[in-house]
Amino acid sequence: MIEQRIPSLRIHAESLTGISPEWVGWCQRWLNTSPIRTRKSRYNEILLVGRWLAQTHPAITSPIQWTRQTAIDYVATVSRMRKGDWSLWDEVKDRGQPLSMRTKLHKLSHLRSFFRDCQTWGWIPHRFSPDRYLALAPSAAEDIPPKPRVLDDEVWAKLVWAGLNLESDDLPRYGRQPASGFLYPFTFWRAAAIAWLFGGLRASELRRLRLDCIRWEQDEQSRICWLDVPPAKSHGGHTRPVDGVVGDAVQAWAAERPVSEPILDKVTGEYVQLLFQFHQRYMGMGFLNNTLIPLLCAKAGIPERDSQGTITSHRARATIATHLANAPKPMPLVVLQDWLGHSSPQATLQYVKAKPITLTHAYQRAEYLARNVRTMTVFLDRETIESGIADEQTPWKYYDLGHGYCTYDFFEQCPHRMACARCSFYRPKPELFDQLMANQQRYLQMLQEIPLTETEQLAVESDLKAVQHLVNQLRHLPMPDGTLPSQSELLLQSGFIPLDQIR
């Protein structure tokens, strides 16, 4: 009989109901052999696959019997899976709701790891490729938004205020004693809150901070201290500058912290003195999300969710990175990468979100509307209009093109605008006529917004190359008066270049 009790995983025999004992044995064998740190959570997912097998493929009880078709069937099941399906637990939050794409990919990733290890270790034959047949379409990953979610500015400001003004009366109490599973002094809570709000740390990094993690700048006037971050998944440990308020809070707790025996750091395998250690226990996995953050939200008078979802420990890291990247003097990407402890700039880019005010300023500087809709000067001959002699033969409206004037009433719709090329509606700009248009009182000057392309805008600014380009593009397109432009005669009229240079 296969042993079904694994106390460290808190899995009871009832939870294994409906799973083949042979499949459970394979899962436990993999659990006892795998060296990865996340093997316990992956073990649960592999057990869940065993319940799916028992109901859909009862003849398959071990990974040896899996074929390509079995893998394809499971991928199809995961793609339509909902929360609670094939679950080992009776109480599942939001049961029946569709799984997120990220969860689906994680489930398949865990099973791939299991089969890859079994094949590599020689336990089962290579009947199929796990990487190929236990995976969704490559486009599925494109539907996943970046995981870091920046907290709303007003929510973050209130959380920072709550952390800086945290008092002992704010702590949760059982009777007259503050408690969180076991007793923590007030300085412990304050140091944890300040480190979370200002340190930009992952939850695993904050829990594993060493007792001597703070070093002060030699300059006594500086309020910057150095925080030694323990090794994590993407770095072997590094040091980052943080505000002095972090150093003050950490040192206040370190001075009050009871003398304790070293505790095993499961990441490095070393016995160390942890900062957030109280006697022989240290900060639990759920302390930040389940205890400290709800406490700060209650202190700040805000819900535990914002527009992006639940407030979690990792969202503070994304928020701090965004603020540093959007500061008046922003931190360069390479420097921010080192500060966050990332191994590649691509990882840092996922945390950097442009704030709305930054986007607004950048958009204003780009002058997108101004580059596409230009305000042009238009002269109206008031005398001609008032006399009633304005007709097709007598011009009364003049669009200033920079190199000349256009008298065509429907200038906005003319495809030859800025490249008139001997059009009968075109009036070149002799110096005398230009002064007349600008100075005589009988001409009313007005501004009209007209959408222009980049090339047309350059033509307004009397760019010779832009005019030549426009003329060449429209050489075979009839002008408003019905004639076809033969060559760049506009350039001759406007005095850009002499005739012999064109010929």
Side-chain angles (χ1 to χ4, degrees):
M1 182 67 180
I2 297 177
E3 177 61 38
Q4 296 184 351
R5 186 176 66 86
I6 305 179
S8 61
L9 298 179
R10 299 179 183 177
I11 293 182
H12 304 286
E14 294 80 4
S15 301
L16 303 178
T17 303
I19 304 177
S20 168
E22 184 177 359
W23 183 264
V24 175
W26 278 96
C27 294
Q28 292 186 3
R29 183 184 181 188
W30 176 86
L31 174 67
N32 296 329
T33 308
S34 176
I36 61 177
R37 287 186 291 138
T38 58
R39 59 185 179 275
K40 292 183 179 181
S41 62
R42 299 190 180 200
Y43 172 82
N44 287 328
E45 291 293 342
I46 302 171
L47 281 178
L48 183 145
V49 176
R51 180 167 292 177
W52 170 78
L53 285 173
Q55 298 186 27
T56 59
H57 299 77
I60 300 178
T61 58
S62 74
I64 298 178
Q65 299 171 283
W66 276 60
T67 63
R68 297 177 183 175
Q69 187 58 49
T70 311
I72 293 172
D73 291 346
Y74 183 71
V75 170
T77 299
V78 170
S79 65
R80 296 184 290 268
M81 190 175 291
R82 295 178 176 271
K83 294 182 179 179
D85 291 353
W86 324 105
S87 176
L88 299 175
W89 313 105
D90 295 331
E91 297 180 2
V92 176
K93 185 178 179 181
D94 300 329
R95 179 182 289 273
Q97 296 297 319
L99 291 182
S100 66
M101 184 58 65
R102 191 183 303 278
T103 303
K104 295 177 183 179
L105 293 177
H106 283 173
K107 286 180 175 295
L108 293 176
S109 173
H110 298 337
L111 190 59
R112 283 199 304 272
S113 176
F114 170 73
F115 272 95
R116 204 161 40 229
D117 289 343
C118 289
Q119 292 177 355
T120 302
W121 298 335
W123 293 355
I124 62 175
H126 290 256
R127 296 183 182 274
F128 65 94
S129 170
D131 293 332
R132 181 174 182 179
Y133 292 99
L134 288 174
L136 294 175
S139 59
E142 300 176 0
D143 299 332
I144 302 179
K147 188 174 182 179
R149 294 169 295 157
V150 179
L151 285 163
D152 297 342
D153 286 347
E154 61 275 11
V155 172
W156 180 247
K158 292 180 179 180
L159 286 174
V160 171
W161 173 87
L164 293 174
N165 294 275
L166 191 65
E167 299 175 352
S168 57
D169 292 340
D170 300 319
L171 303 187
R173 295 178 181 275
Y174 290 135
R176 296 183 177 180
Q177 298 295 329
S180 174
F182 54 94
L183 302 181
Y184 286 143
F186 169 71
T187 52
F188 180 102
W189 289 81
R190 177 173 169 78
I194 297 299
W196 177 67
L197 290 167
F198 294 94
L201 298 164
R202 301 181 179 94
S204 60
E205 294 172 343
L206 192 147
R207 294 175 58 241
R208 296 170 37 250
L209 285 175
R210 306 296 193 257
L211 180 60
D212 56 350
C213 61
I214 289 295
R215 293 180 289 110
W216 288 92
E217 280 276 6
Q218 296 181 355
D219 184 3
E220 297 181 357
Q221 302 297 326
S222 175
R223 287 297 299 165
I224 298 297
C225 61
W226 294 95
L227 177 65
D228 294 330
V229 182
K233 63 178 182 179
S234 61
H235 61 83
H238 70 283
T239 301
R240 70 180 59 160
V242 294
D243 195 273
V245 67
V246 178
D248 293 337
V250 166
Q251 289 187 338
W253 159 239
E256 188 178 341
R257 174 184 176 275
V259 178
S260 306
E261 295 294 328
I263 286 183
L264 175 66
D265 186 334
K266 296 181 181 180
V267 175
T268 63
E270 302 172 325
Y271 281 89
V272 295
Q273 292 280 355
L274 298 180
L275 173 65
F276 293 108
Q277 177 180 344
F278 191 63
H279 297 298
Q280 292 308 113
R281 304 181 69 175
Y282 66 102
M283 184 186 295
M285 289 287 294
F287 176 77
L288 288 176
N289 289 334
N290 302 332
T291 306
L292 180 61
I293 294 177
L295 173 70
L296 293 177
C297 290
K299 171 73 174 179
I302 58 176
E304 296 177 22
R305 297 177 60 88
D306 68 348
S307 62
Q308 297 295 318
T310 305
I311 301 175
T312 60
S313 61
H314 205 73
R315 295 189 64 187
R317 178 175 168 88
T319 304
I320 294 172
T322 301
H323 284 199
L324 292 176
N326 289 272
K329 295 182 179 180
M331 184 179 290
L333 178 62
V334 176
V335 179
L336 183 59
Q337 174 188 341
D338 291 340
W339 193 87
L340 291 172
H342 287 152
S343 57
S344 67
Q346 287 75 17
T348 306
L349 286 174
Q350 293 184 359
Y351 287 76
V352 178
K353 304 292 184 183
K355 299 176 69 175
I357 189 172
T358 304
L359 287 175
T360 301
H361 291 164
Y363 185 81
Q364 290 175 341
R365 290 193 298 268
E367 297 182 346
Y368 173 75
L369 181 62
R371 293 180 65 85
N372 290 274
V373 179
R374 283 292 301 270
T375 300
M376 295 188 63
T377 302
V378 183
F379 293 96
L380 301 180
D381 190 342
R382 182 175 59 184
E383 181 177 333
T384 302
I385 297 174
E386 292 177 349
S387 64
I389 62 174
D391 53 25
E392 295 182 358
Q393 303 299 325
T394 306
W396 58 275
K397 181 188 291 187
Y398 300 86
Y399 290 89
D400 190 349
L401 310 182
H403 48 70
Y405 297 97
C406 179
T407 62
Y408 186 43
D409 291 350
F410 301 98
F411 170 78
E412 301 94 331
Q413 305 172 17
C414 177
H416 283 271
R417 64 186 185 193
M418 312 305 167
C420 304
R422 187 71 79 178
C423 176
S424 60
F425 291 97
Y426 178 73
R427 300 289 185 273
K429 255 190 176 181
E431 182 178 354
L432 183 60
F433 185 69
D434 190 18
Q435 293 178 359
L436 181 67
M437 295 286 289
N439 299 329
Q440 283 196 5
Q441 296 182 357
R442 73 189 188 105
Y443 289 101
L444 296 177
Q445 182 176 348
M446 59 177 290
L447 299 178
Q448 182 175 348
E449 289 186 346
I450 297 177
L452 300 179
T453 64
E454 291 282 349
T455 306
E456 290 174 337
Q457 179 179 337
L458 292 174
V460 172
E461 299 169 356
S462 300
D463 188 311
L464 174 58
K465 293 182 179 179
V467 176
Q468 289 175 325
H469 180 66
L470 285 171
V471 171
N472 292 332
Q473 284 183 324
L474 304 171
R475 185 179 300 277
H476 304 291
L477 187 66
M479 294 183 293
D481 57 4
T483 60
L484 289 173
S486 58
Q487 61 178 350
S488 303
E489 294 181 340
L490 162 67
L491 305 179
L492 301 177
Q493 284 185 293
S494 56
F496 273 111
I497 53 178
L499 179 62
D500 56 353
Q501 292 188 18
I502 291 183
R503 294 178 180 174

